[in-house]
Amino acid sequence: MKQIIFPVEKRNQPLSGPAIIQVSVPWSKGELATSDRVVLRAGDGRKLPAQFRVLNYWPDGSIKWLLCQSIVPEQDELHGPLALQQCDALSTATTIPIAISSDRDHYCVVGEGMSYHIDRQLLRPFSQVFGEHPYHGSAAIELEDVSGRVFQPKIVSSEIVFQGALSAHFGFSGYFQNNTEKLLKFYASLEIWPTLGHVEFSLRLHNPRAAVHPGNIWDLGDPGSVHFKRLDLRIDKERGLYSLNQVPQERLTATASSGQFTLYQESSGGENWDSPVHLNRHDRVPMTVRGWRLYQDEEQVSQGYRCQPQVWAGAGDDGFCVEISNFWQTFPRSLDVDPDNISLGLFPHQFPDSCELQGGEQFSSNMTFAYGRKPDQASMQRVQLVCSLDVYQQSRVLAPALFPHQESAYHPLVDLAFAEKGGFFAKRDAVDEYGWRNFGDVYADHETAFHDQPGIFVSHYNNQYDLLSSFYREFLTSGDSRWFELAKDLAAHSADIDVNQTTEDRLEYNLGPFWHTDHYLDAGLSTHRMASSKHLEKKAAHLCGGGPGSEMCYVSGLSLHYLLTGDVRYRELVLQLADWNWKSLNGTQTIGAATLRAVKNFKKLRQSQKLQIVQARYPFTRGTGNCLNSCLEALELSGDELYLQRAEQLIRGTVHPHDNPSKRDLLNAEIAWSYTVFLMVLGRYLLIKQSRGELDVCYFYARDSLVLYAVWMLENEYPYLEKPEILEYPNDTWVAQDLRKSVILYYAANFQEGSVKQDLLAKADRFKWYVLNRLAESNTAYYARIQALILQNGWVADALTLESSEKYCVFNSQEEYPPSQELTLLSLFRFFGADVVSVAKKFNMNNELKWLKDRI
C-alpha cells in the first residue's frame, strides 16, 4: 500500500472534519495501469469515499501521478496515516452520485439534497441554489470603469473540466462587455462538492493588450493599461438573520437582522502598510487607512489591522457562508451585507484609486461558499497532504530523486527560511509584499546590499532560480505545510503577474516571463517588470530596459504545482513557456530577424576570433540551460517527443564531447558564470533519459560532454571569491553560486570509476564544504538569492552521493558523434540558410511588417 502522511503540524493529532483532503501520489513505471482498482483507507482500515484523477503518465502508458481527493465529514476524525490500496475488483469506494444536466443556457448539478443552477451565458456564478429551501436567488458580477460605465461578464465558452464521485468542476471564459465594447477578458472556475455543500469559485481578469513600454521602460501609467474602479459579486438572499465573523474569531463580530454592515480592508495593516511597494502611476501611495474598518449603517463601529472575515446568512440554524480567500493579503477587499444582499468587493469602490491592470497582466480573486451551515460554523478547509518520503524515492518520478539535506551543516542555513528576521514570511512584512499584485512574490532583499539611504528599498524577486520548485521540494521532503503555503502563493503570483500574457507585443516578448527588478535599483514604478524611468537617473538609457527574457524562464516549480494540485492552468502555462523559450532562443521567425541574427552571429564570430575563444550555435549560458529544462518539463507533462527533439538539438548546439573547454572563456566569471546552469540541466537530462530507458547516441553524447567539462572543472575551477578583483560585486552570492560546481562534479562522478571518480568527488566535497563553512559565518545568508541557491542546489549533492552506488551507465558508447556546431564562417552560412528555409515555410507579411515596425 502507498502510505500518505499528514503535514508536520498534523502528524501528532487527528485530522478533523469537515475538510477536503487531497494528495498527489507518484507511482513507479509500470506499477499502476488504471485508477479503477484503487481505494483510499483510513488508519483504522475504513474505506473512505474518494475520487481520483490521473495527472501524468509514464512513456509506457502507466500512471505516473494520481491525484486523490477525499472528504472528512463533520464530527469525524482521522487518526494515523492514510493509505492507497490496489484491489482485484473495481473500486466501489466512490458511490456518492452527482448528476449534471445541461442545455444551451444552463448547467444543473444535483447531489446530496442540493441543487446548483449555473448560467452559461452570463457569469454569476449561480443563477439559483436550493436545499430544503432556497439559499439565495441569482448573483451578479459587475465591473465599473473609471468613467462609471458598467460591464457585464458575457460567457464565450464553458466546459465541464472534471466530474468525479465527489465534485464537479466547471470552467468559463469570456469578456466584460458594455453592449459590444469589450474591456477585459475573464476566466472563471467553479468547483462544487455537494456532499459538503462546499463551493470554490475563482475569477481572473486579464488585460490581453500589450504595454507600449516606450524606450523599453515598463512603468505604471502605460497606455496599454486598463483602469477600473469597481469589481464586485452581489448575491441576492432571502431576508433573515445574517452575521459577519472573523476566522478565527477575534475582535470582528457583527450580528443583526436589519440594517447594513460594511467591512472594508484598504491596506495590509502591517507596520509598513504604506510602503513604496504600493506606488501608483502618479508616484504616490494611494492608501490612507491602515488595516480594516467596520461600518454599521455607514457609521464606523470597529477597526483593526488584519482580518479574514466570513459572512453567514440564513434562517434559524440553516444558512450559507461566503468568504474571500486571503482577504487582507490581497487588499483592497470589502464585504457588504444588508437584509437583501451580500456584496463581495473584489476591488471595492471605496479604494482611493483605480485599479491599473497592465498590458498582459492578470488579477485573481478566490471565494468559497458553504451551504447548510450554522451561524458559528466556518467554511470547509482544504488540506494538502504528502506521501511518506520513501514513496517519492522509490517511484523515481523526480530527477534527481527526492532526498532531504543529509549534512547537518545545511540545517541552520535552511532554517533561516522561517527565521523571525529575514525569513520568507518576515520578508513579506519588511516591504509589505501584499496587495493583489504583490502577494506571493518574494522580497529581493539581496538587492539592498548597497542601499544606504533611509526608507524602504523596493525590489521584487520574480521566482529567480526557480524558488517555487525549491519550496515544493522542501514541502515533499519535510511535510511542513509552511513550504506549501509559500509555494502556492508564489505560483499564483508568478502565473498572474510575472508572465506577459499578450500576443500583441513585440513577437519576442509575447507570452514570455519578465526579469526580476533591475539589480541594486529601486523598482520605482516598474512593479515586477524590471525597468523604470527612475532607473535612467542612475543608468545610461542603452543599459536600461526590461521585457521578457529566456534567462528568467523557470518552469519546474510551475510543473510541480500542477502535479501536486491538479490545476490544469499550470500545465498549460508550462507548455506555453516551453514553446516561448524555444522561440526566444532561436529568434523571431521573420526574414528580417533571420538576417539580423546572421549579422549578430558574424559580429560574435569576429569578436571570438579576436579574443581567441570558441562559441557554439547556442550560448553556453543559463538562458540555454533554462530552455533545455523547459523542454524537459514539457516532455514530462505532455509526452510529446517534439520537446525531446528540441532538448537534444539544444545540447548538440551548445557542447560537444570533443570540445576544448579552455577555449570557451569559462573562467571569465562575470560573463560566463552561468555555464554551470546548463551543465546541471544536462545532468538532469541524463537522469530523465535513464528513466525512459533511452541509452542511445544522444544520451552518450550528453554524458560524454558533461564528463569532459567536469574534468576540465576539476583541473581549473576555483571558488569565485578567490579572485574578487574580476567581480563587479564580490559578495556572498558568489559563494552560494559555487554550490552548482559541486553538483556538476557529483553528477560527473557517477559516470566514472577509479581515480578520476575519486578526484571528482573530492573536489565536489571541497566546493560543498567551502560554501557551507563560508555561509555559516555570513551575516547575509538569509538574503533571498542566497537562500534560493541553497535550496535549489544544497540537497542535489546529497541525492547524487546517496545514489552513486547505482550505475547510471553500464557500458561505454562506441558511437561516432555528429560534428560540432562551433561558430565558423562556414557554419554561419549553413545556419543562416537553414534559418531562412525554416522562416520561408511559415512566411507572413504581417509579421515581417510588425517586426520592422517594432524596431523602427
Side-chain angles (χ1 to χ4, degrees), residues 396 400-401 403 683-684 686-687 690 699-700 703-704 706-707 710-711 742-754 756-762 764 795-812:
R396 302 285 174 167
F403 283 92
R684 183 164 186 254
L686 292 170
L687 297 185
Q690 289 164 200
Y699 172 86
F700 292 114
R703 182 205 65 182
D704 293 348
L706 176 65
V707 170
V711 170
S742 72
V743 171
I744 294 164
L745 295 169
Y746 284 124
Y747 264 122
N750 285 315
F751 301 108
Q752 295 294 294
E753 294 179 331
V756 176
K757 179 185 183 75
Q758 296 307 313
D759 289 345
L760 289 167
L761 287 173
W795 61 273
V796 182
D798 294 326
L800 295 174
T801 302
L802 290 170
E803 290 191 313
S804 62
S805 60
E806 301 179 15
K807 290 290 185 182
Y808 287 140
C809 174
V810 295
F811 60 92
N812 292 323

Side-chain angles (χ1 to χ4, degrees), residues 134-435:
Y135 280 107
H136 60 72
S138 64
I141 300 174
E142 291 185 343
L143 181 71
E144 182 182 335
D145 72 4
V146 291
S147 64
R149 293 180 302 166
V150 174
F151 291 75
Q152 306 290 339
K154 301 294 180 64
I155 296 172
V156 174
S157 66
S158 61
E159 63 175 335
I160 301 174
V161 177
F162 173 72
Q163 180 179 358
L166 303 178
S167 72
H169 190 179
F170 301 87
F172 308 89
S173 63
Y175 293 89
F176 276 90
Q177 295 183 217
N178 182 310
N179 295 321
T180 59
E181 181 183 356
K182 298 176 180 178
L183 186 66
L184 291 169
K185 292 183 71 173
F186 73 80
Y187 306 90
S189 170
L190 182 67
E191 189 168 6
I192 302 172
W193 297 75
T195 302
L196 296 175
H198 178 79
V199 177
E200 296 176 352
F201 177 66
S202 66
L203 172 64
R204 174 164 40 105
L205 304 189
H206 174 210
N207 178 4
R209 299 169 178 81
V212 177
H213 50 85
N216 216 12
I217 299 299
W218 295 75
D219 278 340
L220 290 167
D222 186 277
S225 295
V226 171
H227 302 263
F228 61 90
K229 183 60 182 173
R230 174 179 63 90
L231 173 66
D232 57 35
L233 166 60
R234 190 191 71 251
I235 304 167
D236 299 333
K237 66 179 183 64
E238 297 293 316
R239 278 185 168 261
L241 295 174
Y242 52 91
S243 63
L244 190 62
N245 304 309
Q246 172 146 325
V247 184
Q249 291 192 21
E250 291 176 1
R251 294 171 54 196
L252 170 61
T253 302
T255 305
S257 58
S258 63
Q260 178 178 9
F261 285 108
T262 298
L263 176 69
Y264 168 55
Q265 180 96 37
E266 182 164 294
S267 65
S268 75
E271 295 253 347
N272 297 314
W273 63 275
D274 56 352
S275 162
V277 78
H278 305 300
L279 288 172
N280 64 10
R281 62 194 179 283
H282 303 303
D283 199 17
R284 65 176 180 83
V285 176
M287 298 93 71
T288 60
V289 173
R290 179 180 178 182
W292 57 266
R293 300 289 185 269
L294 177 63
Y295 302 89
Q296 182 174 6
D297 296 325
E298 300 185 356
E299 179 182 347
Q300 181 177 318
V301 294
S302 186
Q303 66 183 47
Y305 295 144
R306 294 174 170 176
C307 69
Q308 181 58 47
Q310 187 178 89
V311 174
W312 178 89
D317 284 340
D318 187 19
F320 67 98
C321 300
V322 184
E323 185 175 351
I324 302 175
S325 304
N326 294 318
F327 187 84
W328 67 264
Q329 296 94 328
T330 56
F331 72 87
R333 302 292 195 194
S334 70
L335 281 172
D336 291 89
V337 194
D338 64 35
D340 299 310
N341 302 284
I342 299 173
S343 182
L344 310 184
L346 308 180
F347 192 90
H349 66 89
Q350 297 99 321
F351 192 67
D353 194 12
S354 62
C355 177
E356 178 178 353
L357 198 58
Q358 299 176 98
E361 195 171 48
Q362 301 182 97
F363 172 107
S364 290
S365 300
N366 301 310
M367 293 141 277
T368 58
F369 303 81
Y371 296 94
R373 311 300 291 162
K374 297 179 181 179
D376 60 346
Q377 288 180 321
S379 60
M380 311 306 130
Q381 57 177 324
R382 184 184 281 243
V383 181
Q384 183 81 26
L385 306 183
V386 292
C387 298
S388 56
L389 189 57
D390 63 297
V391 172
Y392 299 109
Q393 293 171 343
Q394 293 170 8
S395 62
R396 302 285 174 167
V397 293
L398 298 176
L402 192 69
F403 283 92
H405 304 279
Q406 298 296 310
E407 295 289 357
S408 59
Y410 274 124
H411 299 163
L413 296 174
V414 175
D415 289 344
L416 291 174
F418 300 120
E420 289 187 12
K421 178 183 178 182
F424 287 110
F425 289 112
K427 292 183 200 299
R428 289 179 175 178
D429 285 317
V431 73
D432 208 63
E433 198 77 272
Y434 298 109

